[in-house]
């Protein structure tokens, strides 16, 4: 079997080799074997093209293609979110991702281990600062480990931000051999290099130093003190999607630093579809991988909720009117749609309710009931079915 991003497997063994290993040679070796060969992979989890990884499934001649659509990791609720990303963002409308029989939660529930998955190391660092600064500090585990995350490099970059004489008098030598090249020119030269080479990881670490300045040593010490080596001992797991690929967690909080999807409708919808087409495929794959790490609960960002709205999912359901037409003081219930000043019509037999939803940043949409006019916006001519027919 050959994973779809085979060159990335070899990069773990040859991290300092710029070519890593000849993918063509590896494929030729496997193909030359006189036996049946099975290539297994998910092209929608290809997130390392920036390192030269390629999709082996598209390179090798084959005789049969079989699609594995059933997931046993999560139920239909989480599967629906993943499938919607593929449909809206990548135009995949067949071979739909299906969930198992166990139920899941996508509106704010939490169970078991909670993992906060981000697009960038910047957000991971911000999470670490927040959790380690609580009273008492939360126990955190950075997925992949602190050293792989690069706290020591952040510390070295902070040293470069100091005047050369201060570094010398304080005996603050730069430990990283690569960063040591900038001991004389300093941080400004390193920043220029990061911009010209488009090294986003380095740019992110420089931005962290720019933001926190002299607090860096204190924050790094605080993060190290709050970090636990075993994830089973942590209150929160934090990390990037790149580090979490291949893993699974009871609850996943999707950070709001992925591709931003604004709330759009009407005339803006076509413009939004054009913007989706122009977004690099890896960005949608990152969001898809983040969502499909969840086993039981998924806390979505507001941007991800907006993406579901593009597919027509607005978390609405129809209920019997009952006592919903009046609040506890007997006054009419106001419509929950932002900007609407109307109230529910007590003559209706049914009423449309927006279910409450808690986002990954802990902001909460309380939901509520929709008036007839707002119901029409979502249901069109079907809105008449929610009213009793008039008797002539």
């Amino acid at each position: 079997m050959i994973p779809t991003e085979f060159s990335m497997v070899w990069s773990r063994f040859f991290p300092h080799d710029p070519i890593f290993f000849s993918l063509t040679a590896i494929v030729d070796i496997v193909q030359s074997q006189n036996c049946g060969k099975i290539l297994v992979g998910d092209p929608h989890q290809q997130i390392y093209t920036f390192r030269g990884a390629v999709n082996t499934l598209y390179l090798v001649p084959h005789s049969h293609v079989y699609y594995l659509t059933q997931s046993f990791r999560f139920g239909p609720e989480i599967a629906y979110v993943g499938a919607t990303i593929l449909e809206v963002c990548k135009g995949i409308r067949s071979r739909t991702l299906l969930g198992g029989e166990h139920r899941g939660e996508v509106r704010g529930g939490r169970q078991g281990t909670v993992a906060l998955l981000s697009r960038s190391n910047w957000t991971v660092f911000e999470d670490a600062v927040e959790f380690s600064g609580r009273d008492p500090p939360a126990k955190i585990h950075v997925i992949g480990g602190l050293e792989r995350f690069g706290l020591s490099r952040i510390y070295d970059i902070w040293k470069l931000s100091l005047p050369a004489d201060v570094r010398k008098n304080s005996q603050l030598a730069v430990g990283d051999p690569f960063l040591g090249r900038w001991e004389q020119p300093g941080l400004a030269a390193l920043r220029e290099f990061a911009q010209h080479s488009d090294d986003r990881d380095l740019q992110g670490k420089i931005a962290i130093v720019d933001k926190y300045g002299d607090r860096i040593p204190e924050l790094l010490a605080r993060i190290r003190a709050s970090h636990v080596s075993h994830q089973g001992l942590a209150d929160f797991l934090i990390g990037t999607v790149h580090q979490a690929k291949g893993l699974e967690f009871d609850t996943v909080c999707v950070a709001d630093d992925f591709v931003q999807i604004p709330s759009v409708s009407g005339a803006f919808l076509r413009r939004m579809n054009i913007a989706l087409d122009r977004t690099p495929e890896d960005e949608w794959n990152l969001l898809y991988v983040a969502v499909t790490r969840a086993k039981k609960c998924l806390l979505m960002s507001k941007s991800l909720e907006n993406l579901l709205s593009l597919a027509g999912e607005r978390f609405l359901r129809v209920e019997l009117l009952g006592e919903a037409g009046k609040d506890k003081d007997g006054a009419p219930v106001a419509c929950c749609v932002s900007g609407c000043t109307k109230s529910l019509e007590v003559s209706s037999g049914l009423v449309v309710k927006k279910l409450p939803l808690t986002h990954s940043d802990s902001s909460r949409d309380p939901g509520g009931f929709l008036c007839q006019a707002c119901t029409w916006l979502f249901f069109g001519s079907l809105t008449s079915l929610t009213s009793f027919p008039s008797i002539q």
Side-chain angles (χ1 to χ4, degrees):
M1 296 185 181
I2 304 179
T4 54
E5 292 189 291
F6 199 65
S7 62
M8 287 311 304
V9 176
W10 279 93
S11 72
R12 298 175 186 174
F13 297 97
F14 301 97
H16 304 296
D17 186 344
I19 303 178
F20 297 139
F21 202 87
S22 172
L23 176 63
T24 303
I26 297 172
V27 173
D28 286 345
I29 292 172
V30 174
Q31 284 292 90
S32 66
Q33 304 304 307
N34 188 23
C35 61
K37 292 170 283 291
I38 302 175
L39 280 71
V40 180
D42 184 353
H44 307 303
Q45 294 192 39
Q46 184 175 3
I47 59 176
Y48 282 104
T49 57
F50 70 96
R51 289 190 184 177
V54 297
N55 187 350
T56 312
L57 293 180
Y58 292 161
L59 296 178
V60 180
H62 54 269
S63 57
H64 297 81
V65 177
Y66 300 97
Y67 295 99
L68 304 175
T69 59
Q70 179 75 53
S71 173
F72 298 96
R73 174 179 295 161
F74 40 71
E77 298 85 357
I78 296 172
Y80 173 76
V81 178
T84 300
I85 295 172
L86 299 182
E87 178 178 348
V88 174
C89 305
K90 302 184 65 175
I92 307 298
R93 295 180 175 81
S94 59
R95 305 182 292 278
T96 305
L97 175 66
L98 301 174
E101 296 182 356
H102 45 291
R103 292 189 59 80
E105 171 66 68
V106 297
R107 293 192 295 108
R110 298 186 181 214
Q111 294 184 44
T113 304
V114 178
L116 291 84
L117 301 186
S118 308
R119 169 68 178 83
S120 67
N121 282 322
W122 167 277
T123 307
V124 178
F125 189 83
E126 293 282 276
D127 289 337
V129 169
E130 179 195 346
F131 293 133
S132 63
R134 291 184 176 182
D135 187 15
K139 291 180 289 186
I140 60 175
H141 176 81
V142 177
I143 301 169
L146 283 181
E147 293 311 312
R148 190 171 182 181
F149 177 72
L151 286 189
S152 59
R153 296 197 93 196
I154 294 174
Y155 188 41
D156 279 339
I157 294 171
W158 172 78
K159 294 174 188 176
L160 293 176
S161 71
L162 303 175
D165 59 333
V166 174
R167 292 200 306 270
K168 181 178 179 180
N169 294 335
S170 302
Q171 297 183 338
L172 292 172
V174 176
D176 186 284
F178 174 77
L179 296 176
R181 302 175 187 176
W182 278 268
E183 279 196 286
Q184 291 303 319
L187 182 58
L190 178 64
R191 182 182 290 107
E192 183 178 356
F193 168 81
Q195 292 172 348
H196 282 298
S197 61
D198 196 26
D199 189 330
R200 296 186 181 182
D201 180 67
L202 184 56
Q203 290 174 7
K205 288 179 170 59
I206 293 174
I208 290 171
V209 172
D210 288 340
K211 176 178 179 179
Y212 290 101
D214 290 340
R215 294 187 62 202
I216 287 294
E218 166 216 340
L219 294 177
L220 297 185
R222 198 173 80 186
I223 291 171
R224 290 184 186 279
S226 297
H227 189 267
V228 292
S229 58
H230 193 280
Q231 68 178 41
L233 302 175
D235 299 317
F236 298 98
L237 309 179
I238 57 177
T240 63
V241 176
H242 288 98
Q243 298 294 346
K245 184 181 178 183
L247 304 179
E248 58 184 19
F249 312 95
D250 292 331
T251 297
V252 166
C253 296
V254 179
D256 208 13
D257 64 345
F258 292 84
V259 181
Q260 293 299 294
I261 309 295
S263 179
V264 295
S265 61
F268 296 98
L269 189 56
R270 182 175 177 275
R271 205 177 308 167
M272 186 67 239
N273 288 334
I274 295 176
L276 295 178
D277 292 339
R278 291 175 178 172
T279 302
E281 189 170 296
D282 266 25
E283 294 299 323
W284 300 129
N285 290 349
L286 283 166
L287 186 58
Y288 174 77
V289 171
V291 165
T292 54
R293 298 310 92 199
K295 294 195 296 183
K296 299 177 181 178
C297 299
L298 175 68
L299 279 81
M300 300 185 294
S301 63
K302 179 60 180 175
S303 178
L304 187 49
E305 183 192 1
N306 292 338
L307 193 151
L308 293 182
S309 296
L310 291 176
E313 176 54 66
R314 300 180 183 273
F315 296 97
L316 302 176
R317 73 180 183 191
V318 179
E319 297 183 348
L320 291 171
L321 180 62
E323 297 297 322
K326 296 182 179 180
D327 63 17
K328 60 182 179 181
D329 298 321
V333 172
C335 178
C336 73
V337 176
S338 177
C340 181
T341 59
K342 295 183 169 86
S343 301
L344 269 66
E345 297 180 15
V346 295
S347 61
S348 299
L350 301 171
V351 66
V352 175
K353 179 180 181 180
K354 186 178 191 307
L355 301 176
L357 190 150
T358 300
H359 300 111
S360 55
D361 63 358
S362 298
S363 63
R364 188 172 186 272
D365 179 353
F369 297 97
L370 276 65
C371 67
Q372 287 288 95
C374 290
T375 299
W376 178 271
L377 293 176
F378 298 114
F379 289 88
S381 59
L382 295 178
T383 303
S384 58
L385 299 177
T386 65
S387 303
F388 289 120
S390 57
I391 300 177
Q392 302 295 333

mmCIF file of all heavy atoms in Angstrom, residues 111-134:
data_model
loop_
_atom_site.group_PDB
_atom_site.id
_atom_site.type_symbol
_atom_site.label_atom_id
_atom_site.label_comp_id
_atom_site.label_asym_id
_atom_site.label_seq_id
_atom_site.Cartn_x
_atom_site.Cartn_y
_atom_site.Cartn_z
ATOM 1 N N GLN A 111 -17.809 16.372 24.928
ATOM 2 C CA GLN A 111 -17.634 15.102 25.627
ATOM 3 C C GLN A 111 -16.166 14.707 25.593
ATOM 4 O O GLN A 111 -15.478 14.924 24.600
ATOM 5 C CB GLN A 111 -18.460 13.984 24.958
ATOM 6 C CG GLN A 111 -19.962 14.143 25.026
ATOM 7 C CD GLN A 111 -20.668 12.937 24.426
ATOM 8 O OE1 GLN A 111 -20.304 11.791 24.672
ATOM 9 N NE2 GLN A 111 -21.698 13.196 23.627
ATOM 10 N N GLY A 112 -15.700 14.133 26.668
ATOM 11 C CA GLY A 112 -14.358 13.573 26.702
ATOM 12 C C GLY A 112 -13.264 14.583 26.420
ATOM 13 O O GLY A 112 -13.342 15.761 26.793
ATOM 14 N N THR A 113 -12.231 14.122 25.754
ATOM 15 C CA THR A 113 -11.063 14.949 25.449
ATOM 16 C C THR A 113 -11.425 16.042 24.451
ATOM 17 O O THR A 113 -12.043 15.780 23.424
ATOM 18 C CB THR A 113 -9.934 14.086 24.857
ATOM 19 O OG1 THR A 113 -9.629 13.031 25.769
ATOM 20 C CG2 THR A 113 -8.690 14.918 24.607
ATOM 21 N N VAL A 114 -11.037 17.290 24.760
ATOM 22 C CA VAL A 114 -11.321 18.435 23.900
ATOM 23 C C VAL A 114 -10.033 18.876 23.211
ATOM 24 O O VAL A 114 -9.040 19.180 23.873
ATOM 25 C CB VAL A 114 -11.914 19.611 24.699
ATOM 26 C CG1 VAL A 114 -12.166 20.806 23.783
ATOM 27 C CG2 VAL A 114 -13.216 19.186 25.384
ATOM 28 N N ALA A 115 -10.052 18.899 21.882
ATOM 29 C CA ALA A 115 -8.902 19.337 21.100
ATOM 30 C C ALA A 115 -9.253 20.595 20.330
ATOM 31 O O ALA A 115 -10.268 20.639 19.630
ATOM 32 C CB ALA A 115 -8.462 18.239 20.134
ATOM 33 N N LEU A 116 -8.437 21.633 20.475
ATOM 34 C CA LEU A 116 -8.610 22.873 19.726
ATOM 35 C C LEU A 116 -7.655 22.840 18.544
ATOM 36 O O LEU A 116 -6.434 22.906 18.722
ATOM 37 C CB LEU A 116 -8.331 24.088 20.610
ATOM 38 C CG LEU A 116 -9.334 24.383 21.722
ATOM 39 C CD1 LEU A 116 -9.024 23.556 22.961
ATOM 40 C CD2 LEU A 116 -9.333 25.859 22.073
ATOM 41 N N LEU A 117 -8.215 22.723 17.341
ATOM 42 C CA LEU A 117 -7.403 22.596 16.130
ATOM 43 C C LEU A 117 -7.405 23.901 15.350
ATOM 44 O O LEU A 117 -8.466 24.479 15.086
ATOM 45 C CB LEU A 117 -7.922 21.457 15.261
ATOM 46 C CG LEU A 117 -7.939 20.074 15.924
ATOM 47 C CD1 LEU A 117 -8.345 19.007 14.909
ATOM 48 C CD2 LEU A 117 -6.583 19.735 16.536
ATOM 49 N N SER A 118 -6.213 24.345 14.975
ATOM 50 C CA SER A 118 -6.041 25.639 14.329
ATOM 51 C C SER A 118 -5.364 25.495 12.977
ATOM 52 O O SER A 118 -4.749 24.480 12.670
ATOM 53 C CB SER A 118 -5.201 26.568 15.220
ATOM 54 O OG SER A 118 -5.730 26.633 16.533
ATOM 55 N N ARG A 119 -5.472 26.550 12.194
ATOM 56 C CA ARG A 119 -4.782 26.614 10.901
ATOM 57 C C ARG A 119 -3.318 26.993 11.088
ATOM 58 O O ARG A 119 -2.444 26.522 10.362
ATOM 59 C CB ARG A 119 -5.499 27.648 10.004
ATOM 60 C CG ARG A 119 -4.760 28.027 8.716
ATOM 61 C CD ARG A 119 -4.716 26.861 7.778
ATOM 62 N NE ARG A 119 -4.057 27.214 6.526
ATOM 63 C CZ ARG A 119 -2.740 27.212 6.342
ATOM 64 N NH1 ARG A 119 -1.920 26.886 7.338
ATOM 65 N NH2 ARG A 119 -2.221 27.513 5.166
ATOM 66 N N SER A 120 -3.035 27.846 12.067
ATOM 67 C CA SER A 120 -1.692 28.400 12.199
ATOM 68 C C SER A 120 -1.120 28.204 13.594
ATOM 69 O O SER A 120 -1.854 28.070 14.581
ATOM 70 C CB SER A 120 -1.717 29.901 11.880
ATOM 71 O OG SER A 120 -2.447 30.598 12.877
ATOM 72 N N ASN A 121 0.210 28.223 13.674
ATOM 73 C CA ASN A 121 0.896 28.158 14.957
ATOM 74 C C ASN A 121 0.618 29.400 15.808
ATOM 75 O O ASN A 121 0.698 29.346 17.035
ATOM 76 C CB ASN A 121 2.402 28.007 14.741
ATOM 77 C CG ASN A 121 2.787 26.588 14.367
ATOM 78 O OD1 ASN A 121 2.224 25.626 14.882
ATOM 79 N ND2 ASN A 121 3.741 26.454 13.459
ATOM 80 N N TRP A 122 0.323 30.507 15.148
ATOM 81 C CA TRP A 122 -0.016 31.731 15.879
ATOM 82 C C TRP A 122 -1.197 31.477 16.810
ATOM 83 O O TRP A 122 -1.157 31.820 17.993
ATOM 84 C CB TRP A 122 -0.340 32.852 14.890
ATOM 85 C CG TRP A 122 -0.991 34.054 15.529
ATOM 86 C CD1 TRP A 122 -2.314 34.219 15.833
ATOM 87 C CD2 TRP A 122 -0.328 35.249 15.975
ATOM 88 N NE1 TRP A 122 -2.530 35.437 16.424
ATOM 89 C CE2 TRP A 122 -1.319 36.095 16.523
ATOM 90 C CE3 TRP A 122 0.985 35.683 15.945
ATOM 91 C CZ2 TRP A 122 -1.033 37.351 17.039
ATOM 92 C CZ3 TRP A 122 1.273 36.937 16.466
ATOM 93 C CH2 TRP A 122 0.278 37.755 17.003
ATOM 94 N N THR A 123 -2.255 30.876 16.288
ATOM 95 C CA THR A 123 -3.442 30.619 17.096
ATOM 96 C C THR A 123 -3.145 29.620 18.203
ATOM 97 O O THR A 123 -3.662 29.746 19.327
ATOM 98 C CB THR A 123 -4.587 30.100 16.209
ATOM 99 O OG1 THR A 123 -4.788 30.995 15.119
ATOM 100 C CG2 THR A 123 -5.890 29.982 17.000
ATOM 101 N N VAL A 124 -2.321 28.616 17.926
ATOM 102 C CA VAL A 124 -1.936 27.651 18.953
ATOM 103 C C VAL A 124 -1.236 28.371 20.103
ATOM 104 O O VAL A 124 -1.506 28.117 21.285
ATOM 105 C CB VAL A 124 -1.036 26.551 18.368
ATOM 106 C CG1 VAL A 124 -0.597 25.590 19.468
ATOM 107 C CG2 VAL A 124 -1.762 25.789 17.265
ATOM 108 N N PHE A 125 -0.333 29.283 19.769
ATOM 109 C CA PHE A 125 0.384 30.032 20.806
ATOM 110 C C PHE A 125 -0.583 30.892 21.600
ATOM 111 O O PHE A 125 -0.485 30.983 22.843
ATOM 112 C CB PHE A 125 1.470 30.902 20.180
ATOM 113 C CG PHE A 125 2.396 31.532 21.186
ATOM 114 C CD1 PHE A 125 3.474 30.828 21.694
ATOM 115 C CD2 PHE A 125 2.179 32.827 21.638
ATOM 116 C CE1 PHE A 125 4.325 31.400 22.628
ATOM 117 C CE2 PHE A 125 3.012 33.414 22.564
ATOM 118 C CZ PHE A 125 4.099 32.698 23.068
ATOM 119 N N GLU A 126 -1.527 31.537 20.930
ATOM 120 C CA GLU A 126 -2.522 32.354 21.623
ATOM 121 C C GLU A 126 -3.345 31.501 22.591
ATOM 122 O O GLU A 126 -3.633 31.924 23.725
ATOM 123 C CB GLU A 126 -3.451 33.023 20.609
ATOM 124 C CG GLU A 126 -2.774 34.054 19.729
ATOM 125 C CD GLU A 126 -2.559 35.373 20.441
ATOM 126 O OE1 GLU A 126 -3.488 36.190 20.464
ATOM 127 O OE2 GLU A 126 -1.455 35.578 20.980
ATOM 128 N N ASP A 127 -3.726 30.296 22.157
ATOM 129 C CA ASP A 127 -4.463 29.387 23.045
ATOM 130 C C ASP A 127 -3.611 29.010 24.253
ATOM 131 O O ASP A 127 -4.103 28.966 25.394
ATOM 132 C CB ASP A 127 -4.881 28.127 22.277
ATOM 133 C CG ASP A 127 -5.980 28.382 21.272
ATOM 134 O OD1 ASP A 127 -6.713 29.370 21.433
ATOM 135 O OD2 ASP A 127 -6.112 27.578 20.327
ATOM 136 N N ALA A 128 -2.337 28.731 24.015
ATOM 137 C CA ALA A 128 -1.445 28.347 25.109
ATOM 138 C C ALA A 128 -1.300 29.479 26.119
ATOM 139 O O ALA A 128 -1.279 29.250 27.330
ATOM 140 C CB ALA A 128 -0.079 27.943 24.551
ATOM 141 N N VAL A 129 -1.212 30.703 25.624
ATOM 142 C CA VAL A 129 -1.112 31.866 26.518
ATOM 143 C C VAL A 129 -2.381 32.008 27.352
ATOM 144 O O VAL A 129 -2.323 32.251 28.567
ATOM 145 C CB VAL A 129 -0.855 33.152 25.700
ATOM 146 C CG1 VAL A 129 -1.018 34.393 26.569
ATOM 147 C CG2 VAL A 129 0.532 33.119 25.089
ATOM 148 N N GLU A 130 -3.526 31.829 26.697
ATOM 149 C CA GLU A 130 -4.803 31.978 27.428
ATOM 150 C C GLU A 130 -4.959 30.910 28.510
ATOM 151 O O GLU A 130 -5.238 31.216 29.671
ATOM 152 C CB GLU A 130 -5.984 31.886 26.464
ATOM 153 C CG GLU A 130 -7.323 31.999 27.175
ATOM 154 C CD GLU A 130 -8.500 31.562 26.323
ATOM 155 O OE1 GLU A 130 -8.327 31.429 25.094
ATOM 156 O OE2 GLU A 130 -9.582 31.322 26.904
ATOM 157 N N PHE A 131 -4.772 29.653 28.146
ATOM 158 C CA PHE A 131 -5.013 28.565 29.097
ATOM 159 C C PHE A 131 -3.996 28.562 30.235
ATOM 160 O O PHE A 131 -4.343 28.292 31.386
ATOM 161 C CB PHE A 131 -5.006 27.215 28.376
ATOM 162 C CG PHE A 131 -6.156 27.035 27.433
ATOM 163 C CD1 PHE A 131 -5.957 26.552 26.142
ATOM 164 C CD2 PHE A 131 -7.453 27.338 27.823
ATOM 165 C CE1 PHE A 131 -7.006 26.388 25.265
ATOM 166 C CE2 PHE A 131 -8.517 27.176 26.945
ATOM 167 C CZ PHE A 131 -8.298 26.701 25.670
ATOM 168 N N SER A 132 -2.756 28.865 29.916
ATOM 169 C CA SER A 132 -1.729 28.877 30.968
ATOM 170 C C SER A 132 -1.885 30.080 31.892
ATOM 171 O O SER A 132 -1.338 30.091 32.999
ATOM 172 C CB SER A 132 -0.329 28.875 30.341
ATOM 173 O OG SER A 132 -0.113 30.055 29.582
ATOM 174 N N GLY A 133 -2.642 31.096 31.454
ATOM 175 C CA GLY A 133 -2.842 32.287 32.269
ATOM 176 C C GLY A 133 -4.081 32.257 33.126
ATOM 177 O O GLY A 133 -4.381 33.227 33.833
ATOM 178 N N ARG A 134 -4.806 31.154 33.099
ATOM 179 C CA ARG A 134 -6.013 31.053 33.925
ATOM 180 C C ARG A 134 -5.642 30.842 35.393
ATOM 181 O O ARG A 134 -4.506 30.526 35.729
ATOM 182 C CB ARG A 134 -6.892 29.896 33.432
ATOM 183 C CG ARG A 134 -7.523 30.158 32.069
ATOM 184 C CD ARG A 134 -8.458 29.043 31.655
ATOM 185 N NE ARG A 134 -9.140 29.339 30.403
ATOM 186 C CZ ARG A 134 -10.034 28.541 29.840
ATOM 187 N NH1 ARG A 134 -10.352 27.384 30.413
ATOM 188 N NH2 ARG A 134 -10.621 28.897 28.709
#
